[in-house]
Amino acid sequence: MNYIARRKKHRIDKHLIDILRLPMIFLRVAIPSPLRKLFDYLPPASHPPAEILPGTRLLVPFGNRKLVAILVETVSQSAVNKDKLKAVIKVLDDSPPQPKFIFDLALWAAQYYQHPIGDALLQSLPIHLRKGHSCERLHEFLFHALDKPEQPLNSRAIKQQEAYLLIKQHQNGISMDALKAELGSIAALKPLMEKGLIEKRHRPHKVKSSLEPLREPAKTLNPEQQVAVEQINLHRGYRTFLLDGITGSGKTEVYLQVIEQVLKQGKQALVLVPEIGLTPQTVFRFKARFNVNVVYMHSNMSDKQRFQAWLQARDGDAQIIIGTRSAIFTPMANPGVIIIDEEHDQSFKQQDGYRYSARDLAIVRAHGEDIPVILGSATPSLESLHNVTLKRYAYLALNRRAGNAQPPSVELLDIKACPLNAGLSEQLISVIQQHLTAGNQALIFLNRRGFAPSLSCHNCGWIAPCKRCDAKLTLHQKPPHLHCHHCGSQKPIPRHCPDCASHELSAKGTGTERAEEALGQLFPEFPIWRIDRDSTSRKNAMQEIIDEINKQQPGILLGTQMLAKGHHFAKVSLVAILEADSGLFSTDFRGMERTAQLITQVSGRAGREEILGQVIIQTHHPEHPLLQCLVQQGYRDFATEEIQNRASAGLPPFSHIAIIRAEASNPGRAEAFLQLAQQTPTIEQVSSFGPFPAPMEKKAGVYRSHLILQSGKRPLLQQFLSQFCLQLEHHPLANKVRWSIDVDPYDMF
Ligand code: ADP
Ligand code: ZN
Ligand code: ZN
């Protein structure tokens, strides 16, 4: 249609609308903006609005930018005057890229986590699609010849003839890749399509028979594992299972055998693992067992690679999908089960921006898709254990290590008044010596990277501070510099004290670099593998270190919590925790829970195979009831006690909380902003605490303030938050303050 004809048609359409009094249709759209609202647009001339379904991506004008947005609904009335509304520039999808169910889940999550809807919806899509790229796969289409033999093909268009005949020979269609290979160029396809001689059709999904999914035989389950697998497989519909299995008890084997059944029914499995748990070894275990397409998704892949994996999951071409947090929004054509490994892990909760919990969404999702969900952990979160008590979750326990491995012996080592060499007591040093001499490996856990946590002046007591944070600078020696672990700022090491000019500056305390140096002097004949963020920042560095460790020579593994999770080191017979005390007196109500989980997980690295493991925990507080309970009775008894503490304090899971965090460049401004809570009539049974300065008030040059909202009733808290967030958006200080809301926060900082 030429321009004039188009104008004319447009005028006729308008005329028709007027005489028929057809309602005008507006597109209500979610836009990546910090505002918690939808925006109305006029439909584009190219598409009848009724044909655009919710979930479809649109390109829209916004200010002077063009943004990728998502249609939420079509409406017949807009609060904005029609003449002021702009039209959608382009409809980016023929049909919504996500199935409706995932779109609804994303809408639900935006609401529940009180996050601006546009950002929340876009984050449920792969980055490739958020950028507005096409959702087609090149190999998704096949070209078919249409039967129009009488249609004259220009005899001079040899390339077109050649292409047409080739396509015609393939009665079931031929892919773009195959055509490219045969013809060299695919330039002839466009004119052929325009002439109506060929057409593109969706490739029918290959339905892969999964009746024999096994590549290697499954292990013979021990009785506890057998009960777990049977219980889960008995269930067809939704149910949440908490698989509480000590480290090395064979939880992964349970997942594998549940997945085996799922595959036999022609369904798919989604497995979420913590961020540092998605290693090549993890993926390898699944690939080695099954004869099916296993895809994985993590942040080190390119946008395109992740998008390809996402498409395969959505279209049922991938049977097992392994991913980290954001994979919770991956659609599945035939969902069969969702598994959350290490469900207590903090990486399932996004800690900035859109603060959703992938574990909690997994339960909502499984409920909606009517499939089982398995939460596995050696140290289940107190929330999940409490849900077992409430009979919301089914409980499955694995109390024995699989195979022949025995649980390690654990002891507390009182280091009060003991001389320490870089944090190591003499007694510990001699135990390390014994394990190395026996040909084994020792794992030393120190959750502090760098050389020393601070640099101070012996003469006047000055401590090197970060100018941008209320924090000390950490001393690093490799390479030498001072580093703030909170804002990342770096400085050279001063030669003398800036306050008193004394040269007596000394490192206080021990980080992994210092421990490495001391261990090198104590055990010069053994290798030391340091594993922390600094030593593994180079690509593949982690893998190289792990390969060295797995050569099983005697030596020392020294590292931070990167060592705590998931790894299976066959030769480690000793685990030493240099300092267990810092977590015992945390101001965060979850401090105890986290400390117990960390100690238990690290201890679980000892004695994974035939060798008997030993765990030594150095502490100044051996009488501390938490440590006593953990060491003598184990994590579950600790958890029972700690749940009682939470109950008497009215803390989660016995109440629900949200934190609103605000920050501004001027002191006091964030606090003034949150004062609004005091003027807002609270809903009955919702209490607000604060605003008060954040535990580290100044961070990266801004001043931070917190407001805590709490209620015993989730819906009431939700109701209050929705209304309060809108009020904050319209606060006079709103454009001078950055703020965010964290529903069900994992940490209180
Ligand atoms: P978890 O995930 O609970 O820490 P894994 O699944 O990694 O434990 O199992 C620990 C070790 O025990 C692995 O080497 C695994 O192959 C082995 N294993 C698990 N189940 C069995 C079984 N039923 N028989 C023999 N070995 C098993
Ligand atoms: Zn000084
Ligand atoms: Zn800093």
Side-chain angles (χ1 to χ4, degrees):
M1 223 185 312
N2 65 25
Y3 177 71
I4 296 174
R6 236 185 290 148
R7 282 292 294 261
K8 222 168 167 180
K9 178 168 186 315
H10 182 64
R11 231 178 294 141
I12 296 170
D13 287 351
K14 273 202 98 167
H15 183 64
L16 267 177
I17 286 171
D18 284 345
I19 51 171
L20 293 174
R21 296 202 178 279
L22 284 178
M24 186 72 199
I25 290 189
F26 303 96
L27 303 183
R28 192 151 282 174
V29 164
I31 282 180
S33 107
L35 297 178
R36 288 165 176 76
K37 63 179 274 200
L38 298 169
F39 296 83
D40 290 350
Y41 282 85
L42 299 173
S46 57
H47 282 69
E51 285 175 18
I52 315 174
L53 296 176
T56 303
R57 292 174 307 147
L58 308 168
L59 191 67
V60 300
F62 192 73
N64 47 15
R65 291 177 301 162
K66 291 178 188 172
L67 297 178
V68 176
I70 295 181
L71 177 69
V72 174
E73 56 182 346
T74 47
V75 290
S76 55
Q77 286 195 334
S78 174
V80 184
N81 190 324
K82 195 169 75 195
D83 301 331
K84 292 235 168 79
L85 289 178
K86 296 185 188 166
V88 165
I89 300 168
K90 196 172 168 196
V91 178
L92 295 171
D93 301 304
D94 293 338
S95 57
Q98 286 167 320
K100 180 163 184 318
F101 173 73
I102 296 291
F103 179 66
D104 289 345
L105 179 72
L107 276 176
W108 185 90
Q111 172 82 33
Y112 181 81
Y113 292 104
Q114 304 287 338
H115 192 70
I117 183 169
D119 191 51
L121 290 186
L122 279 156
Q123 285 209 40
S124 73
L125 287 171
I127 295 172
H128 184 78
L129 295 182
R130 286 179 224 167
K131 290 183 175 164
H133 295 302
S134 158
C135 193
E136 287 177 8
R137 272 197 274 185
L138 279 185
H139 55 277
E140 194 173 21
F141 290 98
L142 297 179
F143 290 87
H144 292 258
L146 295 173
D147 251 346
K148 289 188 188 162
E150 64 282 4
Q151 182 88 11
L153 238 184
N154 191 333
S155 60
R156 275 173 302 170
I158 299 180
K159 290 274 174 211
Q160 289 182 33
Q161 268 180 351
E162 198 186 337
Y164 179 72
L165 287 175
L166 183 63
I167 294 170
K168 209 167 168 196
Q169 280 165 15
H170 291 84
Q171 289 195 343
N172 296 327
I174 175 167
S175 72
M176 175 95 90
D177 289 344
L179 283 168
K180 219 182 242 170
E182 292 276 335
L183 300 168
S185 155
I186 48 163
L189 297 182
K190 202 167 165 225
L192 287 175
M193 296 237 284
E194 282 167 1
K195 288 177 188 155
L197 289 167
I198 62 168
E199 69 175 9
K200 269 196 322 191
R201 287 185 210 154
H202 273 275
R203 182 202 290 268
H205 287 141
K206 41 181 185 302
V207 181
K208 207 163 174 178
S209 156
S210 297
L211 286 175
E212 239 346 298
L214 284 186
R215 190 189 297 275
E216 61 170 26
K219 291 198 161 71
T220 309
L221 298 175
N222 67 32
E224 288 180 326
Q225 287 174 316
Q226 200 159 354
V227 170
V229 171
E230 275 169 12
Q231 288 291 315
I232 299 167
N233 285 346
L234 262 179
H235 257 273
R236 283 291 143 116
Y238 163 73
R239 185 102 198 249
T240 304
F241 295 91
L242 179 65
L243 180 62
D244 178 0
I246 61 168
T247 46
S249 59
K251 293 184 288 296
T252 312
E253 188 61 35
V254 171
Y255 305 152
L256 290 168
Q257 302 211 11
V258 169
I259 292 175
E260 183 183 331
Q261 290 306 316
V262 165
L263 295 173
K264 283 184 175 155
Q265 296 159 22
K267 294 184 180 166
Q268 295 163 283
L270 174 64
V271 183
L272 297 194
V273 297
E275 241 144 47
I276 61 171
L278 186 43
T279 59
Q281 288 96 314
T282 313
V283 179
F284 177 79
R285 251 179 115 172
F286 287 81
K287 286 195 167 166
R289 176 66 56 89
F290 298 113
N291 237 330
V292 301
N293 187 15
V294 181
V295 295
Y296 53 96
M297 299 187 183
H298 61 73
S299 46
N300 284 342
M301 291 159 76
S302 73
D303 295 349
K304 238 200 176 124
Q305 284 171 323
R306 278 210 271 183
F307 173 59
Q308 288 300 333
W310 182 89
L311 276 175
Q312 291 180 51
R314 184 193 70 176
D315 298 342
D317 296 336
Q319 282 75 29
I320 301 176
I321 301 105
I322 308 177
T324 49
R325 178 180 61 234
S326 63
I328 188 59
F329 292 109
T330 308
M332 288 187 275
N334 304 304
V337 68
I338 302 177
I339 293 166
I340 312 287
D341 189 28
E342 310 289 359
E343 65 92 28
H344 66 281
D345 193 272
Q346 61 174 341
S347 74
F348 290 122
K349 172 100 188 185
Q350 186 143 292
Q351 309 275 0
D352 52 17
Y354 182 16
R355 292 166 156 87
Y356 63 90
S357 158
R359 177 197 63 199
D360 296 350
L361 284 180
I363 292 160
V364 178
R365 176 170 176 177
H367 186 262
E369 290 188 314
D370 200 25
I371 55 173
V373 52
I374 307 171
L375 311 180
S377 177
T379 52
S381 62
L382 302 189
E383 276 90 348
S384 295
L385 287 168
H386 183 58
N387 278 323
V388 169
T389 311
L390 296 179
K391 302 224 164 8
R392 289 193 191 131
Y393 298 174
Y395 183 73
L396 303 166
L398 306 179
N399 295 310
R400 254 174 292 280
R401 284 198 162 179
N404 297 324
Q406 293 298 311
S409 72
V410 184
E411 66 198 270
L412 293 171
L413 179 59
D414 187 352
I415 51 168
K416 276 198 296 286
C418 284
L420 297 179
N421 178 358
L424 302 148
S425 63
E426 275 165 21
Q427 199 179 334
L428 177 59
I429 293 170
S430 76
V431 177
I432 297 174
Q433 183 69 61
Q434 288 162 19
H435 282 261
L436 294 175
T437 313
N440 294 325
Q441 294 172 344
L443 185 158
I444 299 182
F445 175 76
L446 174 58
N447 210 8
R448 214 186 276 137
R449 66 195 172 95
F451 187 82
S454 67
L455 177 72
S456 86
C457 171
H458 186 56
N459 191 43
C460 76
W462 171 85
I463 293 172
C466 174
K467 291 230 158 56
R468 307 179 66 220
C469 306
D470 295 331
K472 295 178 287 189
L473 290 170
T474 300
L475 175 66
H476 284 246
Q477 292 294 9
K478 292 179 175 174
H481 69 288
L482 293 171
H483 195 147
C484 175
H485 287 182
H486 304 283
C487 72
S489 58
Q490 302 193 12
K491 285 172 77 170
I493 301 170
R495 297 231 180 95
H496 50 78
C497 172
D499 277 6
C500 74
S502 158
H503 286 267
E504 282 192 69
L505 296 181
S506 58
K508 282 268 150 26
T510 302
T512 47
E513 286 179 9
R514 189 176 219 171
E516 181 184 26
E517 191 180 280
L519 287 165
Q521 284 158 4
L522 288 165
F523 305 104
E525 66 277 34
F526 294 99
I528 293 160
W529 301 286
R530 177 164 63 92
I531 299 178
D532 56 29
R533 193 127 56 88
D534 304 308
S535 72
T536 57
S537 60
R538 194 172 43 81
K539 197 171 180 234
N540 298 333
M542 180 78 172
Q543 195 51 48
E544 284 163 23
I545 299 174
I546 290 193
D547 289 345
E548 278 304 308
I549 296 169
N550 284 338
K551 287 183 186 157
Q552 311 208 351
Q553 300 302 317
I556 299 172
L557 293 69
L558 164 69
T560 58
Q561 58 183 344
M562 293 183 80
L563 272 181
K565 292 171 206 164
H567 300 290
H568 181 85
F569 300 118
K571 270 286 180 183
V572 169
S573 58
L574 170 70
V575 164
I577 296 173
L578 287 198
E579 204 255 347
D581 301 346
S582 52
L584 299 180
F585 304 101
S586 164
T587 52
D588 190 328
F589 73 87
R590 268 187 240 271
M592 290 284 189
E593 177 182 357
R594 270 199 292 257
T595 305
Q597 287 167 341
L598 197 56
I599 291 177
T600 311
Q601 292 283 348
V602 177
S603 306
R605 304 305 117 202
R608 299 274 290 188
E609 285 183 9
E610 312 289 309
I611 333 161
L612 196 62
Q614 181 180 7
V615 177
I616 293 183
I617 303 171
Q618 294 194 149
T619 173
H620 287 92
H621 304 278
E623 71 296 333
H624 193 289
L626 158 76
L627 283 179
Q628 284 291 334
C629 176
L630 196 61
V631 166
Q632 300 191 350
Q633 285 135 274
Y635 180 81
R636 281 183 215 152
D637 284 13
F638 153 77
T640 308
E641 230 165 79
E642 186 64 4
I643 288 176
Q644 275 160 16
N645 293 339
R646 296 268 185 93
S648 42
L651 287 164
F654 299 90
S655 66
H656 309 287
I657 56 177
I659 301 186
I660 301 187
R661 300 183 177 93
E663 58 182 49
S665 48
N666 291 20
R669 188 177 277 166
E671 212 150 332
F673 175 73
L674 292 179
Q675 287 292 350
L676 182 66
Q678 255 117 58
Q679 297 135 35
T680 307
T682 41
I683 293 176
E684 206 190 339
Q685 300 183 46
V686 177
S687 331
S688 84
F689 304 93
F692 41 72
M696 184 193 296
E697 184 179 13
K698 185 174 159 205
K699 185 175 168 186
V702 296
Y703 296 83
R704 309 177 311 145
S705 178
H706 287 176
L707 177 73
I708 294 179
L709 298 151
Q710 185 178 30
S711 176
K713 299 239 156 65
R714 221 186 259 289
L716 294 180
L717 181 62
Q718 285 291 324
Q719 195 187 330
F720 176 77
L721 291 175
S722 319
Q723 137 205 343
F724 189 56
C725 284
L726 288 180
Q727 280 176 292
L728 285 176
E729 266 180 15
H730 295 103
H731 194 289
L733 284 174
N735 55 5
K736 295 202 173 76
V737 173
R738 270 173 54 124
W739 64 279
S740 64
I741 177 163
D742 193 348
V743 176
D744 305 334
Y746 180 79
D747 74 46
M748 303 294 282
F749 291 104

